């Protein structure tokens, strides 16, 4: 919204609004006691540049902060640039102006902070030096289109990019670049860039994403994450002609555990089981997820039946040895799990869902065969 406001203000003052510019110039002249302000380049220098008489500029009725903007003193239509400088310095957004060659003409303090250098050091620098190679080309061709008079193509909507700051740090920002056509008064076309620092948003997004994919009780991946991961692994393993194994794990007689020892201890038991399952994963590409209440599932990409069985046996042994004395329960209290395994190696299953169904069927068999056992369908 702020950016729109800025563009609107610039529109108001630019090229076709020469009348407004004239009024500003007249006001400036009146303030400085010079009726012919626009023709007086020394006065214009006063109006735009930091180096000269900054006290007078700070007292300016137009914009006390224009002094902080370093305006180029050559090849400009100063009335326009001064107005532009005044506007961008008022807007609470990081804004920079480049010319048709992509050279930084002015920027406000917020933009300088994002670029990682002072306004003075940044002015007259090629803006594309702050872009990564992959996006640099895109923006340079945009400038070329503007220079060829293809104005309609010379705007770039908001895009997420990585800024290569002057201090060599990288910064995630979103950036929009707007074409400001050449004015009839001789000012060449310019581009206005508006940037937002995305660092905090990205961190929040990552935290929320992790939260949305994590089971709150156990800290394992949740069902949503499992569904996404199985699809990804299915495609990857099929493409690479690698096996994909699934293990579905269900706690035996867990209702009894809850009934005997209470739901709080039931929760603690699920956490212990989850930790055991997670540590039994053979590789870092594997995923352990809480599939439902007392049901867990393992995705084992690039693992054949032997590797999957080994993993399941590790889980079984470790769970059989779990102790609950730290919960105040008797040392004899034990739990077990039943496990079903299905393995895709030679295109037996048409979809990941079919593979999951096969693992579920194997689990059902393990349960019906007496529990605390592993059943495999290859
Ligand atoms: N404490 C606790 N219990 C849960 C949670 N989610 C599911 N349960 C319990 O898990 C139990 C599952 O019971 P059943 O589906 O009958 O299965 P089971 O008793 O384990 O019997 P089998 O699976 O046939 O061996 C129910 O009592 C649920 O309340 C949870 O997050 N915390």
């Amino acid at each position: 919204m702020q950016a729109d406001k800025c563009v609107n203000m610039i529109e108001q003052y630019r090229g076709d609004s020469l009348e407004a510019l004239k009024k500003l110039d007249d006001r400036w002249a009146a303030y400085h006691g010079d009726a012919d302000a626009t023709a007086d380049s020394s006065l214009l220098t006063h109006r735009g540049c930091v180096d000269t008489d900054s006290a007078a500029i700070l007292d300016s009725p137009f914009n006390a902060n224009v002094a902080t903007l370093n305006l180029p003193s050559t090849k400009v239509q100063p009335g326009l640039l001064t107005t532009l400088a005044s506007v961008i310095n008022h807007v609470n957004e990081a804004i920079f102006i480049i010319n048709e060659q992509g050279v930084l003409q002015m920027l406000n303090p917020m933009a300088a902070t994002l670029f990682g250098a002072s306004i003075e050091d940044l002015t007259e620098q090629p803006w594309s030096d702050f872009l990564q190679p992959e996006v640099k080309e895109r923006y340079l061709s945009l400038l070329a289109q503007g220079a060829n008079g293809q104005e309609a193509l010379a705007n770039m909507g908001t895009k997420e990019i990585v800024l290569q700051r002057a201090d060599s740090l990288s910064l995630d920002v979103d950036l929009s670049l707007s074409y400001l056509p050449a004015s009839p008064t001789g000012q060449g076309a310019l581009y206005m860039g508006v940037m937002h620092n995305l660092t905090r948003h990205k961190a929040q997004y990552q935290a929320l994403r992790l939260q949305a994919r994590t089971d709150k009780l156990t800290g394992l991946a949740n069902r949503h994450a499992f569904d996404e991961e199985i699809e990804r692994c299915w495609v990857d393993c099929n493409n690479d002609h690698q096996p994909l194994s699934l293990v579905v794990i269900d706690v035996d007689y867990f209702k009894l555990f809850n009934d005997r020892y209470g739901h709080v201890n039931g929760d603690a038991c699920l956490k212990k089981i989850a930790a055991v399952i997670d540590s039994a994963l053979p590789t870092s590409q594997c995923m352990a997820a809480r599939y439902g209440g007392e049901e867990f599932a393992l995705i084992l990409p690039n693992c054949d039946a032997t590797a999957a069985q080994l993993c399941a046996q590790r889980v079984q042994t470790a769970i059989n040895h779990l102790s609950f004395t730290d919960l105040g329960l008797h040392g004899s209290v034990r739990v077990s799990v039943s496990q079903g395994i299905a393995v895709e190696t030679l295109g037996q299953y048409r979809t990941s869902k079919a593979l999951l169904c096969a693992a579920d069927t194997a689990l059902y068999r393990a349960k019906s065969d007496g529990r605390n056992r592993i059943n495999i369908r290859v």
Side-chain angles (χ1 to χ4, degrees):
M1 286 303 289
Q2 291 275 27
D4 290 347
K5 202 164 103 190
C6 177
V7 172
N8 291 340
M9 288 172 80
I10 290 165
E11 281 298 334
Q12 184 190 343
Y13 292 132
R14 215 188 40 208
D16 34 340
S17 279
L18 287 173
E19 208 176 301
L21 266 178
K22 174 93 175 51
K23 267 188 207 154
L24 277 172
D25 287 338
D26 290 347
R27 281 179 62 199
W28 180 273
Y31 180 74
H32 286 274
D34 184 343
D36 193 17
T38 47
D40 183 342
S41 62
S42 67
L43 179 59
L44 292 168
T45 309
H46 265 299
R47 292 166 57 184
C49 296
V50 275
D51 348 19
T52 48
D53 201 3
S54 54
I57 294 165
L58 287 169
D59 286 333
S60 155
F62 298 93
N63 178 9
N65 293 324
V66 166
T68 60
L69 295 162
N70 195 14
L71 298 184
S73 54
T74 55
K75 292 186 281 180
V76 297
Q77 206 286 339
L80 170 62
L81 279 190
T82 306
T83 309
L84 206 48
S86 174
V87 170
I88 73 170
N89 218 33
H90 269 109
V91 178
N92 194 19
E93 303 268 9
I95 297 183
F96 62 88
I97 303 288
I98 54 174
N99 64 15
E100 284 173 302
Q101 288 73 45
V103 175
L104 279 163
Q105 298 296 289
M106 65 173 89
L107 62 162
N108 64 8
M110 279 180 81
T113 305
L114 296 192
F115 281 118
S118 68
I119 291 175
E120 288 74 19
D121 287 346
L122 290 162
T123 307
E124 296 294 338
Q125 294 300 313
W127 165 69
S128 60
D129 283 359
F130 300 95
L131 302 178
Q132 289 193 318
E134 56 271 23
V135 292
K136 192 171 184 164
E137 284 310 310
R138 196 167 359 127
Y139 282 99
L140 287 178
S141 76
L142 182 95
L143 298 187
Q145 280 163 337
N148 288 338
Q150 297 171 276
E151 291 184 20
L153 302 174
N155 283 297
M156 182 75 92
T158 308
K159 294 265 180 299
E160 223 179 285
I161 64 159
V162 178
L163 208 60
Q164 291 297 135
R165 286 162 47 101
D167 55 11
S168 305
L169 295 174
S170 300
L171 189 71
D172 290 309
V173 298
D174 68 19
L175 164 74
S176 70
L177 204 60
S178 304
Y179 182 74
L180 309 176
S183 84
T185 52
Q187 171 65 55
L190 297 169
Y191 291 82
M192 183 179 69
V194 181
M195 299 185 293
H196 300 107
N197 186 351
L198 295 180
T199 311
R200 197 160 48 90
H201 296 291
K202 283 229 155 182
Q204 284 171 344
Y205 169 77
Q206 290 303 342
L208 281 174
R209 188 166 188 276
L210 186 66
Q211 200 180 327
R213 294 168 55 84
T214 304
D215 173 60
K216 194 159 182 273
L217 178 69
T218 63
L220 292 184
N222 62 15
R223 173 73 179 271
H224 169 69
F226 173 87
D227 287 345
E228 275 184 8
E229 186 65 7
I230 181 89
E231 278 312 315
R232 201 183 63 75
C233 288
W234 177 263
V235 172
D236 287 355
C237 287
N238 273 329
N239 287 345
D240 299 344
H241 304 290
Q242 289 294 316
L244 172 63
S245 295
L246 278 188
V247 185
V248 183
I249 304 167
D250 190 281
V251 185
D252 297 328
Y253 303 118
F254 194 57
K255 183 176 181 321
L256 217 57
F257 189 99
N258 272 325
D259 291 348
R260 276 188 189 154
Y261 310 117
H263 271 78
V264 172
N265 284 331
D267 283 354
C269 175
L270 289 176
K271 281 192 199 178
K272 280 174 183 274
I273 289 172
V276 161
I277 289 173
D278 199 35
S279 61
L281 294 177
T283 70
S284 58
Q285 285 102 53
C286 299
M287 173 189 267
R290 187 176 180 199
Y291 194 71
E294 23 73 87
E295 201 168 325
F296 300 86
L298 308 183
I299 303 173
L300 309 177
N302 310 323
C303 288
D304 59 13
T306 309
Q309 268 176 308
L310 263 176
C311 177
Q313 272 155 15
R314 263 203 307 273
V315 168
Q316 184 178 30
T317 307
I319 286 178
N320 286 160
H321 285 92
L322 274 178
S323 162
F324 300 94
T325 50
D326 57 326
L327 305 180
L329 304 185
H330 194 270
S332 63
V333 174
R334 289 284 178 266
V335 289
S336 68
V337 291
S338 298
Q339 303 182 69
I341 303 175
V343 184
E344 160 77 8
T345 36
L346 302 165
Q348 306 94 307
Y349 302 101
R350 285 185 44 237
T351 63
S352 61
K353 280 200 175 50
L355 181 66
L356 186 56
C357 279
D360 222 30
T361 306
L363 168 65
Y364 181 78
R365 188 69 189 267
K367 286 273 182 192
S368 58
D369 283 351
R371 295 175 174 76
N372 193 22
R373 66 195 61 221
I374 300 162
N375 188 272
I376 183 162
R377 281 174 73 102
V378 187

